[in-house]
Amino acid sequence: MIAVEAMKRVCGNNIVTPKGFKATGIHCGVKHKKHDLALLVSEVPASVAGVFTTNVVKAAPLLVTKESVEQTGKMQAIIINSGNANACTGKQGMLDALTMQKETAKKLGIDQNLIGVASTGVIGEKMQMEPIIKGIRKIEPNDELEGSINFSQAILTTDTITKNTSYTAVIDSREVIIAGAAKGSGMINPNMATMLGFMTTDANIESVYLQQALKTVTDKTFNAITVDGDTSTNDMVLVLANGLANNESLTPTHPDWEKFVQALQAVSQDLAKMIAKDGEGATKLIETEVLGAVTDTEARKIAKTVVGSPLVKTAIFGCDANWGRIIAAVGYSGATVDPNAISIQIGNTTVVENGEPVLFSEPNLIAYLKQPEVKITVQLHQGEGAGVAWGCDLTYDYVQINATYRT
């Protein structure tokens, strides 16, 4: 669990809250009207950590960015377009991603390897490079709230809301801030990250330890959400740490290491839950907590299986207290389970106790299921493992949105 006392949420909740960051978003012409080009810049080269899609089919910008992260361990800016994923676009797609990197480096007067590139949108369509190049040449990031709002809007596709959060922690008697922005609504079943997530911090930390911290929190946050069971070609999360808080360099042996990790986890969890709640066509956020599993890993596996079950998702949408779908998902999760020891609660209502059905008030439970957030708790009585996962209901609108995504 996150130790809330170790940090606090920052008012403003924007990507430029940490010292030394600027951002903005503009309309360049990839989309018809909405913002479609975003830029995030650090005042100085920052340590960088990243997690990337496990999909074997990877988009060109992701490959370019992953190479930069692995080769340099530093990043100073990220250029992002929405409206086109630049995925499955062959050699030209790689050239286009490199062009975005090169043009941004030229614009900012910094080394090309210090630029990350991200794209999101339709797969399999060639990039419209003329408006993107023109957009890069005119985009002007700033450290104002308006710039961060425009940034958050420019990275969206089918999202209905922007997703932003930030926390502060005291490290070496200095205030350190971690902020984040993300997009994601459909094709969400990440095995590393969300569709796109960007986090900034003014903490002083080397890339190797930043990567370690990010990996620690990713499995508990971004990897614990699912909307539709699909893993995108473009999923990535990047964290930039520019060191301008001037704390002593963070390592796992630093006395405030856990404070930093907890704040990073809080930002990641907020963004992950926002993505799950904003699933395409969704009307409800579903949280499943699993207790008493053999290990934490197995608990998270079961929790994600439950929130990812199409039958559970449709039951929650229809306010149907069909707990049989929940226990079935627990059973096929692949984790160690004793059917005679399973207990299940929906909200505060126990529906199964030690594998046996329990009488409950159907009208009361239906009233609970009409709420915008629904919690399912599964107790396995197998060990000390615990885990949480988040998802959303499956609605008519999800089918409509995805049936006509290109047309």
Side-chain angles (χ1 to χ4, degrees), residues 3 129 169 174 190 213 236 308 318 344 355 372 378 389:
M129 288 307 295
R174 298 176 182 274
M236 74 168 79
I344 297 173
V378 179

Side-chain angles (χ1 to χ4, degrees), residues 108-123:
L108 299 174
I110 60 179
D111 189 86
Q112 185 172 338
N113 286 332
L114 292 175
I115 308 294
V117 184
S119 300
T120 182
V122 178
I123 294 171

Side-chain angles (χ1 to χ4, degrees), residues 125-177:
E125 293 188 1
K126 295 291 178 67
M127 295 285 281
Q128 306 170 51
M129 288 307 295
E130 184 178 352
I132 288 178
I133 291 171
K134 288 181 178 179
I136 291 172
R137 290 174 179 173
K138 74 176 184 179
I139 195 169
E140 296 294 339
N142 60 75
D143 59 4
E144 303 297 325
L145 176 60
E146 182 181 7
S148 68
I149 291 172
N150 289 334
F151 174 90
S152 298
Q153 292 173 340
I155 65 176
L156 305 182
T157 51
T158 57
D159 308 59
T160 63
I161 58 169
T162 58
K163 301 163 180 71
N164 301 277
T165 189
S166 55
Y167 286 81
T168 181
V170 177
I171 296 175
D172 292 329
S173 301
R174 298 176 182 274
E175 182 186 58
V176 166
I177 300 173

Side-chain angles (χ1 to χ4, degrees), residues 61-331:
L62 184 145
L63 294 172
V64 169
T65 300
K66 191 170 186 286
E67 184 177 3
S68 291
V69 170
E70 292 174 348
Q71 284 189 352
T72 69
K74 294 287 184 180
M75 189 167 286
Q76 195 167 353
I78 307 170
I79 187 74
I80 309 115
N81 76 275
S82 59
N84 189 321
N86 193 11
C88 304
T89 46
K91 294 179 181 178
Q92 186 59 50
M94 284 297 296
L95 291 174
D96 291 342
L98 288 168
T99 296
M100 289 179 66
Q101 188 184 49
K102 181 180 178 180
E103 286 291 333
T104 305
K106 188 188 301 182
K107 159 108 179 155
L108 299 174
I110 60 179
D111 189 86
Q112 185 172 338
N113 286 332
L114 292 175
I115 308 294
V117 184
S119 300
T120 182
V122 178
I123 294 171
E125 293 188 1
K126 295 291 178 67
M127 295 285 281
Q128 306 170 51
M129 288 307 295
E130 184 178 352
I132 288 178
I133 291 171
K134 288 181 178 179
I136 291 172
R137 290 174 179 173
K138 74 176 184 179
I139 195 169
E140 296 294 339
N142 60 75
D143 59 4
E144 303 297 325
L145 176 60
E146 182 181 7
S148 68
I149 291 172
N150 289 334
F151 174 90
S152 298
Q153 292 173 340
I155 65 176
L156 305 182
T157 51
T158 57
D159 308 59
T160 63
I161 58 169
T162 58
K163 301 163 180 71
N164 301 277
T165 189
S166 55
Y167 286 81
T168 181
V170 177
I171 296 175
D172 292 329
S173 301
R174 298 176 182 274
E175 182 186 58
V176 166
I177 300 173
I178 304 176
K183 65 83 50 184
S185 191
M187 281 191 89
I188 302 294
N189 187 40
N191 290 314
M192 39 45 64
T194 145
M195 288 280 292
L196 291 178
F198 308 100
M199 289 184 278
T200 57
T201 178
D202 45 23
N204 180 19
I205 179 172
E206 294 297 318
S207 294
V208 63
Y209 300 119
L210 186 62
Q211 187 70 47
Q212 183 177 330
L214 179 61
K215 182 64 176 71
T216 297
V217 307
T218 295
D219 286 341
K220 300 175 183 177
T221 57
F222 295 116
N223 282 353
I225 61 171
T226 183
V227 168
D228 50 21
D230 278 356
T231 300
S232 172
T233 55
N234 293 56
D235 288 352
M236 74 168 79
V237 166
L238 296 174
V239 186
L240 272 59
N242 64 19
L244 294 183
N246 293 318
N247 57 285
E248 293 294 323
S249 187
L250 282 160
T251 70
T253 60
H254 190 291
D256 292 328
W257 172 255
E258 285 303 320
K259 285 185 182 180
F260 176 77
V261 174
Q262 288 164 3
L264 185 67
Q265 182 174 332
V267 171
S268 301
Q269 182 171 300
D270 279 1
L271 295 176
K273 290 175 70 175
M274 290 176 196
I275 290 166
K277 191 172 185 177
D278 193 34
E280 288 172 338
T283 64
K284 298 169 190 171
L285 174 70
I286 306 170
E287 176 180 309
T288 297
E289 181 177 23
V290 175
L291 305 170
V294 174
T295 64
D296 290 351
T297 300
E298 286 216 338
R300 289 195 294 268
K301 182 179 183 179
I302 295 168
K304 193 171 180 182
T305 301
V306 172
V307 297
S309 162
L311 291 178
V312 172
K313 291 157 71 70
T314 50
I316 299 299
F317 171 61
C319 300
D320 180 9
N322 190 345
W323 57 263
R325 295 179 175 183
I326 299 171
I327 200 168
V330 173

